Amino acid sequence: MTTHDRTAESGEDAIPGKPNSASRTTLSHIMTSNETNLLGTVHGGVIMKLVDDVAGAVAGRHSGGPAVTASMDEMAFLEPVRVGDLVHVKAQVNWTGRSSMEIGVRVLAERWNESRPATQVGSAYLVFAAVDENGKPRTVPPVLPETDRDRRRYQEAQIRRTHRLARRRAIMELRQNRAAEGYED
């Protein structure tokens, strides 16, 4: 069942869906010596900031307003990024719930002065929540996957969501059991 189906069944006013391409965004940045660590490569935190920036732009575009980072599900660094690399951070909405969105991000790098194809150096999945002017959750449009790749990403995002929720439930249950046994954490 899709988000759109759930909205229609619940009797809420249906928000028209948006295709993945409506909010897909790329952020590009040339890495400088100001962004390096002691090894001479770019700080992972610099890459994470770019990832959060582009994911926030995608979430805001898709939801039509403010959205905040709820979680970073996974961040994988596949290759180091060096000074002089032109980094492209590409993002799109993979899945939507009532007020949340999973944003998938790919990080690519190429030498600024070479004409070779960019290589993937990282990836991440973030969850954003759309909020109103008071910081309260607001409803987002359902995402409408357009291609087989988009449909695969949507299905994979549903699996990640199921795992996030199960992990959260298991941790809360463990904490409750420990508290009932008299343990203070």
Side-chain angles (χ1 to χ4, degrees):
M1 179 181 290
T2 68
T3 303
H4 188 264
D5 295 335
R6 285 193 307 265
T7 302
E9 284 182 3
S10 69
E12 298 174 22
D13 291 333
I15 297 175
K18 290 184 177 180
N20 298 88
S21 60
S23 58
R24 200 173 278 143
T25 301
T26 300
L27 176 70
S28 297
H29 184 76
I30 295 177
M31 296 294 127
T32 67
S33 60
N34 293 337
E35 297 151 332
T36 60
N37 58 30
L38 296 174
L39 298 173
T41 57
V42 173
H43 280 286
V46 169
I47 302 301
M48 291 173 76
K49 171 80 165 81
L50 294 172
V51 164
D52 191 49
D53 286 347
V54 75
V58 167
R61 282 181 168 188
H62 184 82
S63 68
V68 296
T69 310
S71 70
M72 180 177 274
D73 208 34
E74 182 179 318
M75 177 78 210
F77 296 99
L78 307 172
E79 299 282 336
V81 177
R82 302 173 298 156
V83 170
D85 280 351
L86 177 57
V87 173
H88 308 286
V89 190
K90 299 175 177 251
Q92 74 169 45
V93 175
N94 288 338
W95 176 90
T96 54
R98 190 185 65 75
S99 62
S100 63
M101 302 159 274
E102 184 195 90
I103 312 298
V105 182
R106 290 182 54 213
V107 183
L108 305 151
E110 61 181 307
R111 293 306 292 166
W112 69 274
N113 60 348
E114 297 176 6
S115 59
R116 294 185 199 162
T119 58
Q120 185 170 353
V121 297
S123 64
Y125 299 102
L126 296 89
V127 177
F128 274 74
V131 295
D132 64 17
E133 61 278 351
N134 299 313
K136 301 294 183 200
R138 62 184 175 80
T139 306
V140 299
V143 67
L144 305 174
E146 300 170 277
T147 67
D148 285 339
R149 178 181 273 180
D150 293 337
R151 284 183 279 283
R152 175 187 55 80
R153 288 177 176 164
Y154 184 91
Q155 291 170 332
E156 290 173 358
Q158 288 178 304
I159 292 168
R160 283 187 291 275
R161 179 176 187 273
T162 298
H163 287 212
R164 275 192 304 275
L165 294 174
R167 182 176 59 233
R168 184 181 305 147
R169 278 191 303 273
I171 289 169
M172 294 308 294
E173 182 178 311
L174 175 66
R175 288 179 181 174
Q176 288 171 352
N177 290 342
R178 287 183 53 82
E181 293 171 3
Y183 292 103
E184 292 185 32
D185 288 336

